[in-house]
Structures are given as structure tokens and as C-alpha cells.
Amino acid sequence: MKVTFHIDYRAGEGEKLCIIGSVVELGIWQSAEAKEMCRMEGGRWMFRIAIPPSVKEIDYRYILIKANGDVVSESWERIHHAVFDSSRPVYHLYDYWRNIPPDIALYTSAFTKVLFAHKTSGRPTEGEDSDRTWVIRVLNPRVEKHQHVAIAGNQACLGFWRPEQAKAMDSKDFPEWEIRLNADEITLPLEYKFLVRDETMQVCHWETGDNRILTHLPSEKGETVVVSGYPYRTGLPLWKGAGTVIPVFSLRSEQSFGTGDMHDLKLLIDWAEQTGQCLIQVLPMNDTTRTHTWTDSYPYSAISIYALHPVYISLADMGTLKDVGKASFFRRMQKTLNVKGEVDYESVEKNKLQYCRDFFEQEGAAVLKSDTFKSFLKTARTWLIPYASFCYYRDKYQTPDFSRWGAHATYEALREQQLCEENSDAYPEIAFTCFLQFVLHTQFKAVSDYARQKGIILKGDLPIGIHRTSVEAWTETSYFNMDGQAGAPPDVFSDKGQNWSFPTYNWDAIEKDDFAWWKKRFHKLEDYYTGFRIDHILGFFRIWEIPVDFVQGLCGHFRPALPFSVEEIEAYGLTFKETFTKPRIHCRHLAGLFGGQTDDVVETCLSPADAAWMILKPFCDTQRKIEDLFRNRTDEVSMKIKEGLFAIANEVLFLEDPYEKSKFHPRISASGSFAYKELTDEERHAFDRLSLHFFYERHNEFWKKEALKRLTPLIACTDMLICGEDLGMIPDSVHEVMNRLHILSLELERAPKTSDREFADLHHLPYESVCTTSTHDMNPLRSWWKEDRERTQRYYQFVLHKEGAAPEECSPELAAQILSRHLDASSMLTIIPLQDWLAMSDTLKSPHTTCERINIPADPHHYWRYRIHIPLEKLLIAREFNRKIRTMLSDSGR
């Protein structure tokens, strides 16, 4: 079989175009084996190969080798693909150089597999049996499910430009549309254009621009000519959509068992469809079970990057208990837990697990023998066996800290495999754990399929870190730095920074494995979602790493980073002193920290460094030691002393880099420290200049290269729609990288990304972004309205353009106006927290405004338990309210 590749490309002097692909004749993707094409007249390039008839398809790409040896690839990761029929001996493939299209987001699975999903049309392919066949293809993802692409032209077979007689194209490879034409029916030149029609054959729109023309295409007997043209030139306004964000545990229905579950998520999908929304975003749903207490409620602290949390099982959908007494008990328990205003995590987990155990005793043997379970086990085995072993040891040793598991502290694959065999003493527990994950996967997959059928995008959430006592930390320790803690520097959420306690990544080890660990995470998300949010996307640029001796985040440092040498510090005019790196405090500041307890604290906890300065005594010279001392003391005096000692532990101006000794990081927010106040004016000026350079200038290019190195292969490995949480202390390079990789940013009116505005201009947000009124780390709309009265007044007067004093409460009318502003934003997506949607209704909003907040980032021990106060069944029959949302979306073009 002879295959000839053709492409038009205006290469410069000394440049050459090459082709590389999936077969031996094209180098099997080895760059060194790329095949140089022949330069023809008029900027055309050609390359011909002969392949065996057994080859049914080829993937390939074009690359440009510049005169200096640099290699330039097509910027779009979508590879060229050709399918062959061995009965046709000659193929000519006409391509174009693929740059990223401006509507690249529409090519993600959120659109191609959900919103605009098309199956093969089954339309006749009149060129199929012809000796001379032309195949014309065009990419167009923005075609509604009731629409199709057609081709019209200056030939009888294309209807002589009459749209009703234009030929419908097939969507079997959507978003690519294809038609096969009998070349005998065509006279050159062929002029044509694409259009979109609806089910009644009415024209929805023609593509813009000049007619497309084919002139000198060879089409001798036995040849197939495939023309892959430039994407459909749409003249439509930019696509926009809207959705809802809510943690699954926050949902409530008449069937749920004290917390939201898979059944509730299905009801939320029904509500989204009813109100004209196209997306539902949830928080992470991974298993977080470490202690079987309420502290496990934190959804970003997973013990497995694959396993789902058992509390999300819908008991009603799983099945009914045959034991009348047990069934009666759980019905009463369900009513007791479901009537509570918030999630009672410990009771919910305990009782749902017991129900599952009872059901497993009843049906488990049959389930484990089923073909569907065996298929699941075969697919999930690589992560399920380590996870089941971890859960077994966690409960056996009554701790998730694997360092305390004795002989099992180090993961051994063969040993854990044997633990999970049927003849193992541990098998009953192992089997139950596997059963739970099977039920969760089956239910979640059913919900995911249901969402796709309804045209609703399910958007997940990818936590940036893992817990230090998790399956992955136990089994893949080389990927993590267990001596560091991931967190966030001080920001509007927390003036002391955030300490998430997660280990930081060993990116060198991860990169050596071609980022396989991260790619597996992305692929697991694809089981259920067609879009996801990268939590703290800054972690791919740099992470805020906090030494394990610290509880707060102030004494962290960026990693990777370019710490200062002593010579660099002194070049700013600041003489470096060893005391800058040692926590100490001048005596004059002690009374301000400890008040009436100063003398007792000095005698008990402090030692004199000299006549004026004090240091912490060895038994309390780190924040971890201090925390242990005050662990069970919650009275006001003890808390004041604890915070004061914490403050002294933070009293440094520089931190030595743990990886490059004798190099230093300036402490962030040091201008608020007592140590800074003790500097001379000249020293403060020098410290300010070096800090400004270090935190806002020094690392921009460095972090950009790091992020591109990590994110580029990861983005390329999935077709999901990707958004990034890019709030907080953002280097300039973050937006550049996100724009380059087409990762949607997160935009909030109350948290503008430019320092010259108090509120973001919603009409000038980047199109590739998600606009929202609040996040789970913030007060919802009604609580925010009361958070800062002066700021609310400015918003009321200068943003909403209202006169007089701002009302004390955010009324439904004000909420509707604010939400309408966000729906009118220039962002591709506006995603509203469910609490803020409900704020538009006096009858549906919560009577308790303060209970609507989901998380308080400044509190590392926050109990995640918010639950909507009304069942979703009630929301589904709120017809007037639902019509109002649908109208708002329609009016805003979403």
C-alpha cells in the first residue's frame, strides 16, 4: 500500500519539514528517525511510504527542524490519524499544520463526550464503493446534539450550493466530521463550504470566510484522497455555560443517611438539567479514613488517590437488608441522622459501615463471585490491593501512621499480595474493603453515565497533596519528602499561612518516571469526570514547604527556589548576622505577648540570650514541642501563652535552606515581626528590597520552566477540561503558563488579581476562566455581605450603583442582582455555590446564615460538616425558583 503525505507550510531558508509516526516507516515516534519531507513548489511538502496491507491505521505528526537545529512541533497535541482499507492500494493524505485552535476548550471531553456528544450518524457514504474516492474532513466541536455538519458546493453531488440539498457529514470520529465522495461525480475546481443544520434540515449557520477550493488533486483509479481541512470557521459568539459547586457530603435528600451520597448527586444532576445548567462541580471524594473520628472529615486529606470514601455509598441503591430487626434499626437511625442540621461524621460513618457489613454478610459471597466484581478487581488490582492492606493494618494497629506498624512499616508487594489471598486470616476484612470500593465505583460510574446522558458535565477536584499517613506515602515513599510539610504562605485566608501537613513531592524522582504517578491520577479521574479543578495549581510551580518542627506556615520556604548566598544578601546593604536565623525576642516585647503571665512565662519557658534578648528553653524550642505541651489545655490563659510561644518560634528574619546549606530564604511577612522592628532604618530598607526581589521577581522564569516541564506532559495525557485554583500569592509566570496550556483560571469579584482594584471587573475577565461568587474557603454570599460593613458599603455604592446605606442583610433581590452580574461575566464558565443560588429565595435560603460556610482555612482542625437545609426533592419541585434560574441563564447567554 502506497501512502503519500502532503502539507502546505512556508518554511524559512535552511529549515526542513519532517514527519514522524507510529509505524517503522515513520520512525516509531523516535525523533532521531523522523523522515525528512520533499520540498515542492509553492510551499508544498510531500513524503511517500509503502506499508504492508496489514497496517490498518497510522498516527503521525509533523515537525519543523530550524536552521540552527531547534525542533518545533505542531502546537496542538491532537495527532493526525489515518485509517486504511487494504483493498485500496493508494492513499494521498492532505493535511495542515495544527496550531492550537482558539476554541480549544471545546475539544475537551466535557464538550465532545457530554455537551455536544455525537454518535455516528449512519448516513450513507456514496464514495465507499467508488474506484476513486475523495474523503473530506473538518473539525467542528460546537454542534448541538440535534444538529449536524453538512457540505455544500458548486457540484451536483453537493447540491449546487442549495443548503437543503447539501450533503450531511458523518460524526463517527466527533468532533471530526467526514464525508466520502465519488470523484467521478466531481469536476475541478471544487468549491465548497460547510454549514450546520438542525433535525429539520434548516440552516443554523454557515461557516465564515471564503469558499474552500480543491484544484490539482490526483485521483486516478484505485486512489483514495483524504483532505483534512482547517477547522470549521465559526462566526458564533463565544460559548458560555453555568453550573453549581457543592461538596457531595453537603447534599441532602429524603433517602440519604445523614450525609450526601451518590443518589443525592443524581438528584442534583436532575436539578441542573431542569434549571438549564450544564455543569456540577464537587470537592474531592477520596477516602480520608485515618482515625474513624470527625477529623477525617477534611476531604483534601486523602489516604488514597484512587479509593472513594465509603460514606458516599447510597444504601438505598445498594440494596435492602432482609433481617427485619436490622432493617428497622437502620430506618430509625437514618431518620435520626438525616434530621440533623449538619453532618455528624462519626455517627454517619459508624452506622453506614455497619449497614454495609450487614449487607456484605447477606450478599457478599454472591457479589465476589460475579463477573462484574471480577472485572473490577482485575482493573483496580494495582491500587486496590495496597489500599485494602493499608486499611487492614490501620485498624489492626489502631493508627494510620505506618511507621508504628512494626514489621509492616515498610511496604512489601509480595507480602501484601499474600495478605489479600482467600486463604489469609485477613481475607474477610480485605474482601469487605474491596466490596466497598466495588459498590462505590459501580454507583459513581452509573451517576457519571447518567450525567452524560443528561448533558451535564461532572467536574472533579484534584488535591495537590496526599496525607503523610496514606497508601501512597507507604507504598511509593521515594516520590515524597517526608521531612517537609506542604502548605500556603500567608494570604487573605490566613495571616499565619496554612500548614496542610502533607509531605512535599520529590519531583526529580517523579520526572525520572515520566510523571507516571501523576498521569495515573489524571486517568483515574477520567472514570467519573470530564473536567476537574487542580487544587492549588501553584504546587506545580513551587510549593510552600514548612519544616516538620513548625505548626504554623510563617517559617516555610518555597521549593524549588533560588535561596540567597550571604554575599547576595550583603550586596543589598544588609550585614548578615547568625542571629537573624535564630528565634529570639527582645524583652521589651514580652508584655505585649503574655500580659499578666509574662513573669511566669519568662521563668518557665525562656532563657536569657544576653541582657536584652530571650530565647526559648530546649523543652519548648519548636512549635511542635509547644503544641504537645498545650495539647489538652484549652483555657484562655493557656491559649494566649501558646500563641505567644508560637510567635517567638517565628521570630527569625532568614531561614537556612535545608538542601543548600549556607544559603538563605528571607522569612515571609517578616515586616510584621519583632525582629524586623529591631533593625535600623537602613537595615529595614535593605531587607525590604531583597524581600521584594526574592518573593516577586527572582523566581519568575525559574518557576515558569519548572511548571511547563511538569504540566505540559500531564495536560497532554488527558482530554478532560482542566481548571486551576490560582488564588493567593501568585507569581506573574502562573498566568502565562496557564494561558499557554489553556488551563482555565479561577476568578472572584471580591478577590481581584490586580492590586489597583478592590473588586474585579467581571466584564474583562479572561474568557478561559471560571467565575464564581465564593469558594469553600470563603464566606458564602450572605455571610460575606456582613463580613466587613465598610467594604460592603463600597460594593453597594460603586459596584451595584445603589444609593444610601447598604442593607444589613443581603436580600434575595440583592443576591439575584449579584448572581446576574456573575452570569454576565466574560468567563467561559460561571459556577455558583449552591448556597448562593438559594440566597435568591426567601423560602429556600437557610435561616442560619452563619452555618453555610464550608471551611475556615486558618483553622487546621476545622470540622467539614456543612449540609444544605432542604432536601433536593423540595428543590426539584420549586418550579418558580427553577424557572427564574433558567431565565437568568438564558438572558445572560449561558
Side-chain angles (χ1 to χ4, degrees):
M1 190 186 308
K2 295 180 181 179
V3 181
T4 306
F5 302 87
H6 305 261
I7 188 171
D8 287 346
Y9 190 89
R10 301 287 177 177
E13 188 68 29
E15 297 179 338
K16 56 184 180 182
L17 206 62
C18 298
I19 185 172
I20 186 172
S22 59
V23 293
V24 173
E25 293 78 7
L26 295 180
I28 319 181
W29 297 117
Q30 299 297 314
S31 298
E33 298 297 322
K35 307 303 178 183
E36 183 176 350
M37 303 184 73
C38 298
R39 189 193 293 254
M40 315 296 285
E41 293 182 356
R44 295 191 301 274
W45 297 76
M46 183 188 75
F47 184 72
R48 180 175 292 124
I49 60 173
I51 58 174
S54 59
V55 176
K56 302 300 182 184
E57 57 186 345
I58 290 178
D59 291 328
Y60 60 98
R61 298 197 73 184
Y62 297 100
I63 59 175
L64 177 70
I65 300 180
K66 300 179 78 68
N68 63 2
D70 289 348
V71 177
V72 178
S73 300
E74 296 172 279
S75 62
W76 197 5
E77 292 291 338
R78 185 185 182 91
I79 59 176
H80 301 265
H81 181 71
V83 179
F84 306 112
D85 180 348
S86 58
S87 66
R88 296 177 178 273
V90 179
Y91 279 83
H92 286 269
L93 309 179
Y94 286 81
D95 297 312
Y96 66 96
W97 181 270
R98 284 185 168 171
N99 289 320
I100 296 175
D103 57 351
I104 182 65
L106 303 189
Y107 289 86
T108 63
S109 59
F111 293 88
T112 62
K113 296 179 181 179
V114 182
L115 290 183
F116 302 139
H118 284 263
K119 297 180 180 179
T120 181
S121 62
R123 295 186 177 93
T125 52
E126 48 270 330
E128 193 71 49
D129 298 325
S130 169
D131 286 335
R132 299 189 305 143
T133 301
W134 276 7
V135 180
I136 297 178
R137 295 173 175 166
V138 66
L139 286 163
N140 186 5
R142 193 173 173 182
V143 183
E144 302 284 349
K145 292 181 180 180
H146 65 282
Q147 300 173 340
H148 64 269
V149 175
I151 180 173
N154 65 345
Q155 312 281 321
C157 65
L158 297 182
F160 285 121
W161 296 111
R162 290 190 291 272
E164 69 277 7
Q165 294 186 23
K167 293 292 184 184
M169 302 181 75
D170 192 82
S171 57
K172 63 183 178 66
D173 295 317
F174 183 78
E176 188 170 67
W177 299 78
E178 176 183 297
I179 190 167
R180 292 174 175 267
L181 300 175
N182 185 345
D184 294 333
E185 299 178 358
I186 295 174
T187 303
L188 293 177
L190 167 63
E191 292 191 42
Y192 64 99
K193 223 173 189 180
F194 301 108
L195 62 149
V196 172
R197 296 185 304 203
D198 63 18
E199 295 166 324
T200 67
M201 307 301 279
Q202 295 299 305
V203 176
C204 302
H205 50 83
W206 288 80
E207 71 169 336
T208 60
D210 297 332
N211 295 341
R212 302 182 187 231
I213 302 176
L214 297 179
T215 54
H216 304 293
L217 294 180
S219 192
E220 299 298 327
K221 186 175 181 180
E223 290 188 359
T224 298
V225 176
V226 181
V227 180
S228 298
Y230 288 96
Y232 186 96
R233 304 180 302 244
T234 182
L236 297 173
L238 292 172
W239 181 91
K240 293 182 180 180
T244 293
V245 55
I246 188 75
V248 173
F249 64 77
S250 296
L251 298 175
R252 182 190 298 269
S253 75
E254 294 170 0
Q255 286 193 16
S256 53
F257 202 97
T259 188
D261 59 29
M262 298 297 183
H263 173 79
D264 298 352
L265 186 53
K266 195 172 180 180
L267 294 180
L268 189 66
I269 291 167
D270 290 336
W271 178 72
E273 180 193 34
Q274 188 179 130
T275 53
Q277 299 178 66
C278 67
L279 181 146
I280 290 172
Q281 178 178 327
V282 298
L283 269 58
M285 296 174 63
N286 299 89
D287 190 4
T288 58
T289 309
R290 295 186 303 112
T291 64
H292 298 289
T293 67
W294 68 265
T295 59
D296 297 341
S297 67
Y298 179 27
Y300 290 89
S301 185
I303 64 164
S304 169
I305 61 176
Y306 304 108
L308 297 167
H309 202 307
V311 297
Y312 294 122
I313 289 177
S314 167
L315 300 183
D317 291 346
M318 183 174 67
T320 304
L321 294 178
K322 296 177 181 178
D323 186 299
V324 176
K326 289 181 179 179
S328 176
F329 167 81
F330 284 114
R331 279 196 298 272
R332 292 194 303 272
M333 184 57 64
Q334 187 258 349
K335 291 179 181 178
T336 298
L337 292 173
N338 228 23
V339 77
K340 292 189 176 186
E342 297 176 305
V343 176
D344 182 345
Y345 181 90
E346 293 178 19
S347 293
V348 166
E349 193 223 21
K350 175 185 175 182
N351 286 282
K352 288 195 81 167
L353 279 181
Q354 187 57 55
Y355 186 104
C356 290
R357 282 189 182 278
D358 291 342
F359 188 81
F360 181 67
E361 289 179 9
Q362 174 183 299
E363 307 288 347
V367 171
L368 297 182
K369 292 178 182 177
S370 68
D371 291 339
T372 51
F373 177 81
K374 291 176 181 177
S375 176
F376 166 75
L377 182 60
K378 182 179 179 180
T379 302
R381 193 174 193 87
T382 55
W383 66 263
L384 186 58
I385 296 303
Y387 165 74
S389 301
F390 180 94
C391 293
Y392 175 77
Y393 292 135
R394 174 201 63 203
D395 294 343
K396 175 182 178 180
Y397 291 101
Q398 296 187 320
T399 176
D401 184 354
F402 47 84
S403 68
R404 297 163 58 189
W405 290 353
H408 303 112
T410 301
Y411 174 75
E412 294 180 13
L414 179 59
R415 183 187 64 206
E416 313 320 332
Q417 177 66 46
Q418 293 170 344
L419 182 77
C420 297
E421 297 292 340
E422 290 189 37
N423 59 359
S424 166
D425 291 341
Y427 183 71
E429 279 301 309
I430 297 292
F432 177 60
T433 300
C434 294
F435 165 79
L436 291 176
Q437 290 303 311
F438 169 69
V439 172
L440 283 158
H441 171 74
T442 303
Q443 290 190 357
F444 202 3
K445 191 68 174 65
V447 171
S448 174
D449 292 343
Y450 185 76
R452 295 187 187 205
Q453 293 165 13
K454 294 283 188 177
I456 304 297
I457 300 165
L458 271 188
K459 181 184 172 190
D461 197 337
L462 182 75
I464 188 61
I466 62 149
H467 200 276
R468 62 180 54 252
T469 55
S470 65
V471 179
E472 284 69 38
W474 179 49
T475 61
E476 300 175 286
T477 310
S478 62
Y479 289 150
F480 307 100
N481 169 32
M482 303 300 288
D483 293 328
Q485 306 173 99
D491 56 19
V492 295
F493 302 117
S494 175
D495 60 357
K496 299 294 191 298
Q498 298 177 50
N499 184 350
W500 305 324
S501 300
F502 307 147
T504 54
Y505 290 109
N506 179 354
W507 281 105
D508 291 339
I510 291 173
E511 185 179 355
K512 284 180 183 177
D513 288 346
D514 194 28
F515 304 99
W517 189 85
W518 276 101
K519 289 177 181 178
K520 286 187 291 185
R521 290 190 75 180
F522 279 32
H523 292 153
K524 182 59 180 173
L525 289 174
E526 291 174 345
D527 284 351
Y528 315 113
Y529 305 109
T530 51
F532 68 97
R533 163 191 178 269
I534 300 177
D535 168 53
H536 196 68
I537 196 171
L538 280 168
F540 285 93
F541 293 74
R542 80 306 188 261
I543 200 71
W544 188 246
E545 184 175 87
I546 304 160
V548 290
D549 285 338
F550 283 87
V551 175
Q552 297 173 331
L554 274 175
C555 284
H557 58 84
F558 290 124
R559 185 186 185 201
L562 304 170
F564 284 133
S565 66
V566 171
E567 292 76 18
E568 287 178 297
I569 293 172
E570 295 190 337
Y572 281 90
L574 178 65
T575 301
F576 185 80
K577 302 172 185 175
E578 191 69 23
T579 53
F580 288 165
T581 67
K582 308 296 183 184
R584 60 179 194 156
I585 188 165
H586 197 283
C587 292
R588 68 167 64 95
H589 304 299
L590 292 174
L593 286 177
F594 302 108
Q597 282 71 47
T598 301
D599 291 341
D600 290 339
V601 171
V602 170
E603 181 179 351
T604 307
C605 301
L606 304 179
S607 297
D610 56 35
W613 294 84
M614 304 294 288
I615 61 173
L616 294 166
K617 288 183 177 180
F619 78 91
C620 62
D621 61 357
T622 72
Q623 289 187 346
R624 286 290 168 202
K625 292 179 181 178
I626 297 166
E627 184 179 48
D628 288 341
L629 284 172
F630 290 85
R631 186 168 300 281
N632 297 316
R633 296 161 63 181
T634 57
D635 61 280
E636 186 175 344
V637 172
S638 294
M639 296 306 293
K640 182 178 179 65
I641 294 173
K642 174 185 172 182
E643 289 303 313
L645 295 175
F646 270 8
I648 296 175
N650 286 328
E651 279 297 309
V652 295
L653 291 175
F654 290 93
L655 301 122
E656 186 173 26
D657 187 89
Y659 310 101
E660 293 187 77
K661 298 300 181 182
S662 300
K663 289 197 173 182
F664 302 90
H665 303 253
R667 204 209 82 179
I668 199 166
S669 301
S671 60
S673 70
F674 297 119
Y676 178 85
K677 292 179 174 65
E678 295 300 324
L679 297 176
T680 66
D681 288 344
E682 293 77 10
E683 287 175 327
R684 284 197 291 268
H685 179 65
F687 187 86
D688 289 345
R689 287 193 300 114
L690 70 84
S691 292
L692 178 66
H693 171 68
F694 186 85
F695 289 115
Y696 296 99
E697 299 168 357
R698 183 178 178 88
H699 296 93
N700 281 344
E701 284 301 312
F702 175 66
W703 285 335
K704 181 174 78 172
K705 291 177 182 178
E706 291 294 310
L708 287 171
K709 181 172 63 176
R710 298 165 184 176
L711 284 170
T712 300
L714 296 181
I715 300 302
C717 83
T718 182
D719 63 355
M720 289 185 288
L721 179 68
I722 302 178
C723 312
E725 182 270 292
D726 57 338
L727 304 177
M729 186 178 177
I730 307 296
D732 292 340
S733 56
V734 172
H735 299 135
E736 181 182 349
V737 169
M738 291 178 69
N739 290 337
R740 180 168 168 177
L741 298 179
H742 298 275
I743 300 171
L744 274 60
S745 62
L746 180 61
E747 308 292 337
L748 286 96
E749 185 177 43
R750 69 173 90 162
K753 293 178 179 174
T754 54
S755 58
D756 61 334
R757 300 188 67 96
E758 184 177 16
F759 301 102
D761 183 353
L762 298 180
H763 295 292
H764 290 88
L765 299 178
Y767 172 65
E768 289 186 336
S769 69
V770 174
C771 173
T772 186
T773 49
S774 59
T775 75
H776 60 267
D777 285 332
M778 299 175 172
N779 270 324
L781 186 56
R782 291 195 297 151
S783 294
W784 172 79
W785 189 264
K786 303 169 77 171
E787 185 178 278
D788 182 338
R789 291 298 303 164
E790 292 183 359
R791 192 177 188 212
T792 299
Q793 181 61 45
R794 293 192 295 273
Y795 181 82
Y796 184 77
Q797 182 176 351
F798 300 115
V799 178
L800 299 183
H801 304 294
K802 302 280 190 179
E803 295 182 355
E808 290 293 322
E809 303 285 341
C810 181
S811 66
E813 294 73 24
L814 282 170
Q817 183 180 356
I818 294 170
L819 264 59
S820 291
R821 287 177 44 77
H822 285 74
L823 292 171
D824 289 337
S826 52
S827 300
M828 167 184 278
L829 288 167
T830 294
I831 304 177
I832 304 295
L834 185 53
Q835 308 96 300
D836 291 351
W837 282 123
L838 299 179
M840 295 194 304
S841 169
D842 264 329
T843 58
L844 296 176
K845 69 182 182 182
S846 172
H848 307 294
T849 306
T850 56
C851 294
E852 291 185 320
R853 182 159 183 169
I854 296 170
N855 181 41
I856 301 175
D859 179 6
H861 306 296
H862 181 71
Y863 191 170
W864 296 61
R865 61 189 314 193
Y866 166 70
R867 209 167 173 219
I868 59 173
H869 65 291
I870 58 171
L872 288 163
E873 290 88 348
K874 183 175 180 180
L875 191 57
L876 281 165
I877 61 173
R879 293 183 176 82
E880 183 178 344
F881 175 72
N882 294 336
R883 277 197 300 270
K884 181 176 184 177
I885 293 178
R886 180 176 278 277
T887 299
M888 291 171 67
L889 267 56
S890 177
D891 290 347
S892 66
R894 294 189 183 271

